[in-house]
């Protein structure tokens, strides 16, 4: 039985200091702990930041690629075991430069709306899939 939903939106704060592996491992630990409690988990890609430099963008893309691969492996394992799974929600095509406030870091109302609509779509879709699993 599904015990809940968690959406993990990994932030980019500290990415330049902590590096990509540390950031990815911290997010994966959260996902693993939630899966043990039979909770559906969605992990969003780290969002671009128009105000940040090329090194941030390179590390962000590296974390997103590695996170996506790791979540896919976890999802496949969950499907095999018929357990509650995890999903990776790539936001790169959805959240563009125009979705940020003037600081180039925080989302504007448009960005927040797009992000929340994507979360709602994931919740609805996974709910339908989970109901079908229980039949």
């Amino acid at each position: 039985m599904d015990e809940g939903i968690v959406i993990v939106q990994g932030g980019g704060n500290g990415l330049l200091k902590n590096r990509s592996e540390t950031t990815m491992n911290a997010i994966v630990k959260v996902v693993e702990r939630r899966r043990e409690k039979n909770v559906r988990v969605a992990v969003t890609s780290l969002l671009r930041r128009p105000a940040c430099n090329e090194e941030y963008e390179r590390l962000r893309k590296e974390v997103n690629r590695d996170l996506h691969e790791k979540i896919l492996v976890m999802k496949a394992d969950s499907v095999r075991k018929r357990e509650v799974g995890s999903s990776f929600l790539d936001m790169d095509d959805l959240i563009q430069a125009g979705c940020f406030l003037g600081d180039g870091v925080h989302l504007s109302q448009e960005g927040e709306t797009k992000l929340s609509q994507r979360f709602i779509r994931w919740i609805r879709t996974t709910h339908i899939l989970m109901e079908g699993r229980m039949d």
Side-chain angles (χ1 to χ4, degrees):
M1 164 130 327
D2 181 10
E3 296 295 333
I5 296 172
V6 171
I7 299 174
V8 180
Q9 183 190 358
N13 293 347
L15 181 59
L16 293 171
K17 182 179 88 174
N18 296 328
R19 311 313 284 176
S20 57
E21 188 173 327
T22 303
T23 300
M24 188 193 75
N25 288 338
I27 294 169
V28 168
K29 278 185 186 178
V30 169
V31 174
E32 288 172 342
R33 283 196 307 262
R34 296 302 92 192
R35 283 183 58 208
E36 291 170 2
K37 297 185 182 298
N38 209 31
V39 173
R40 287 183 282 162
V41 181
V43 177
T44 71
S45 57
L46 299 184
L47 300 179
R48 66 175 44 92
R49 290 182 173 182
C52 290
N53 62 26
E54 289 178 21
E55 178 66 3
Y56 173 87
E57 186 63 10
R58 184 187 68 73
L59 290 170
R60 184 189 74 81
K61 286 179 178 179
E62 183 179 305
V63 168
N64 286 342
R65 182 195 66 235
D66 293 347
L67 263 177
H68 193 181
E69 289 175 7
K70 182 71 173 171
I71 297 300
L72 280 175
V73 168
M74 294 169 87
K75 186 177 196 91
D77 184 53
S78 296
V79 168
R80 269 192 308 281
K81 295 177 180 177
R82 297 187 56 79
E83 295 175 346
V84 172
S86 306
S87 301
F88 182 80
L89 306 179
D90 189 348
M91 300 295 181
D92 274 359
D93 289 340
L94 183 67
I95 306 296
Q96 299 295 316
C99 293
F100 290 86
L101 294 174
D103 64 5
V105 174
H106 298 96
L107 291 176
S108 65
Q109 183 67 44
E110 176 188 359
E112 289 176 359
T113 298
K114 286 183 175 186
L115 195 68
S116 62
Q117 287 172 342
R118 179 65 180 97
F119 292 161
I120 291 167
R121 192 171 83 222
W122 176 79
I123 291 166
R124 286 182 178 152
T125 302
T126 59
H127 180 73
I128 291 167
L129 292 172
M130 293 304 295
E131 281 184 340
R133 230 187 240 180
M134 292 178 195
D135 293 341

